[in-house]
Amino acid sequence: MRLAPRSLLGQLALLILGAFVTAQVMSLWLFADERGAALRAANRFETADRTAAVARALKDTTQAGAGSILAAVNSRLVRFDLGERPLVDGQGTTQETVRSRIVERLDNPLEVRVEDVFVPVHGHRPMPAPWLRERMLAAGIGPLELRISVRLAEGRWLNVRSRFERPRLQVPPVVLGTMVLSLSLLMAALWLGIRRITGPLRRLAATADAFGLDGAPPAMPPEGPREVRALCEALARMQGRLSDMIADRTRMLVALGHDLRSPITALRVRAEMVDDEETRERMVATLDEMREMVEATLAFARGVSRDQPMEETDLAALLADIAGELSETGPPVVFTGSGPAVTAVRRMPFRRALRNLMENAQRYGRGARVGVNGGGRTLEITIDDDGPGIPPGDLEHVFDPFARLETSRSRETGGIGLGLSIARAIVRAHGGEIGLSNRPEGGLRATVTLPLERNFVGIGSVNA
């Protein structure tokens, strides 16, 4: 299933929202990192001060008194104990700041050793590689344990283990409120700014979509930012050029058709004077074919002209009327719809388009079934037949002027190849479209679609 693309406003809103959330998450991460570093430093200094205080308290205390002192100062994260051996091997110079602080608070201590040790979390996770531990120690990130060994006067060692637990991330209500307010103001400004752009663009799209041959060219909305106004002006100029070009082509076709009528009529009169009957019949047949081509060309030109007004027309009644006329002279054409389907069309050209399609189905499909359905924003007319269908590669080619799939070139069996071209030109002049498709059960389906939001006046209960 393919999802419809989001609007410009939706895309920018998601982009800005994602950038804002990413920036806030990075800010919170930096804030938490700096807060953790500050708390870690404070914890080290506090541990150093407690170590110096305990060392002073143990200086003149008996063995029993030392046990009581150690039991009182121990906590979940800081453990003190006395031993014959130091906890820190070597000089332990990884935390010189903590060592200097302890030395300052003790009177001439014998020896102080301090170091950071990388420890596994909860004691069961595997240790990282040595190079990674060194980098994590250098960066000040855990899990780390601060170890201190202070040599007392009697030769024993005061050993201290202090673990630091990174505090949970807590967002103060003021910070959270500021984030929400900033996001609200940002999205409101974005919405107002994008609406100023997308509003004129939507109206421009609707105006360009309404451009057709069934009325005067609609005026482009001259509003919005400078770039949008420039686009409107460019489209208005293009629209004018297209209208002029189509009007010139229509006038040329009409003039050509009228100019050809007179010499064809004169030639037909002269052909009747030919004595040879066979030659005369061939000449008359050729001139009749030329006359039909001229009439079809005139019909094509009239079909896309603006001379006739738009009228409210019940297409259901129009289709039923055409079906009745065609059924009298050939295979049956059945109208299966019910109820009115009223919309604004140029009645005579649109009737010609529908008749061409229905005649095609009757001629090549041994009859036809015609239905009309109005729902949503479109009105759809379907014409089904039971003929051989059309090769998929020719479904569009048959709409080309003078295109014929029937190869005999006989007017009686194939016409002159303008019927579908005329029908499509008329329907497109009304803002609609014609399409052909082969039905799975056999035969061909012609579908005429008209946009209701532009031409529609009213539709009753219609079933196809």
Side-chain angles (χ1 to χ4, degrees), residues 272-308:
E272 293 291 346
M273 300 178 183
V274 175
D275 294 332
D276 188 352
E277 181 177 355
E278 183 179 356
T279 303
R280 182 174 67 251
E281 289 179 355
R282 289 182 179 181
M283 293 178 64
V284 169
T286 301
L287 291 171
D288 286 343
E289 185 175 358
M290 292 176 61
R291 180 180 56 79
E292 285 189 16
M293 293 179 66
V294 170
E295 295 295 336
T297 302
L298 287 176
F300 180 77
R302 294 192 191 99
V304 295
S305 68
R306 306 177 189 167
D307 298 336
Q308 300 184 24

Side-chain angles (χ1 to χ4, degrees), residues 49-336:
D49 294 341
R50 290 177 65 183
T51 301
V54 171
R56 286 194 302 268
L58 295 175
K59 184 176 181 180
D60 300 319
T61 305
T62 62
Q63 184 72 22
S68 300
I69 292 174
L70 292 178
V73 298
N74 278 335
S75 64
R76 184 175 64 89
L77 298 178
V78 183
R79 306 294 297 178
F80 294 83
D81 65 79
L82 287 172
E84 298 299 329
R85 297 179 59 82
L87 179 64
V88 180
D89 295 332
Q91 296 300 315
T93 58
T94 57
Q95 287 295 331
E96 187 61 34
T97 304
V98 176
R99 182 180 180 279
S100 301
R101 192 177 183 92
I102 296 174
V103 171
E104 289 175 1
R105 281 158 175 73
L106 292 177
D107 296 331
N108 193 23
L110 296 178
E111 187 176 355
V112 178
R113 301 178 183 180
V114 182
E115 71 174 354
D116 273 332
V117 179
F118 197 99
V119 294
V121 180
H122 303 306
H124 65 274
R125 295 187 181 178
M127 292 283 287
W131 64 269
L132 181 57
R133 293 203 301 268
E134 293 177 2
R135 293 192 177 186
M136 295 179 73
L137 286 172
I141 57 178
L144 302 178
E145 182 178 85
L146 177 66
R147 295 181 178 180
I148 304 173
S149 293
V150 180
R151 186 178 179 183
L152 302 180
E154 61 274 18
R156 293 180 298 171
W157 290 85
L158 173 62
N159 296 316
V160 184
R161 299 171 183 265
S162 176
R163 287 200 179 190
F164 173 75
E165 290 187 353
R166 185 177 293 272
R168 294 180 179 179
L169 180 61
Q170 297 178 349
V171 182
V174 175
V175 176
L176 184 60
T178 302
M179 290 174 54
V180 173
L181 179 61
S182 300
L183 180 60
S184 301
L185 293 175
L186 181 63
M187 297 305 292
L190 175 67
W191 184 81
L192 291 174
I194 298 301
R195 286 280 295 182
R196 187 170 178 268
I197 299 175
T198 57
L201 284 178
R202 281 195 299 270
R203 288 187 286 275
L204 176 61
T207 302
D209 188 60
F211 172 63
L213 300 178
D214 54 349
M220 294 293 177
E223 56 186 9
R226 179 174 56 189
E227 292 79 6
V228 176
R229 291 198 300 269
L231 177 61
C232 292
E233 293 171 358
L235 286 177
R237 291 192 295 270
M238 182 187 71
Q239 185 184 73
R241 290 193 295 268
L242 286 174
S243 298
D244 294 341
M245 181 185 68
I246 294 173
D248 291 343
R249 187 198 69 168
T250 303
R251 285 194 295 269
M252 180 192 68
L253 288 175
V254 173
L256 180 63
H258 281 292
D259 290 344
L260 286 175
R261 278 178 172 176
S262 297
I264 290 175
T265 303
L267 285 174
R268 198 178 192 289
V269 171
R270 292 179 182 273
E272 293 291 346
M273 300 178 183
V274 175
D275 294 332
D276 188 352
E277 181 177 355
E278 183 179 356
T279 303
R280 182 174 67 251
E281 289 179 355
R282 289 182 179 181
M283 293 178 64
V284 169
T286 301
L287 291 171
D288 286 343
E289 185 175 358
M290 292 176 61
R291 180 180 56 79
E292 285 189 16
M293 293 179 66
V294 170
E295 295 295 336
T297 302
L298 287 176
F300 180 77
R302 294 192 191 99
V304 295
S305 68
R306 306 177 189 167
D307 298 336
Q308 300 184 24
M310 300 287 285
E311 304 177 44
E312 294 184 18
T313 304
D314 184 356
L315 295 184
L318 184 62
L319 290 168
D321 182 54
I322 300 174
E325 290 180 6
L326 294 177
S327 298
E328 294 176 357
T329 59
V333 178
V334 180
F335 177 67
T336 60

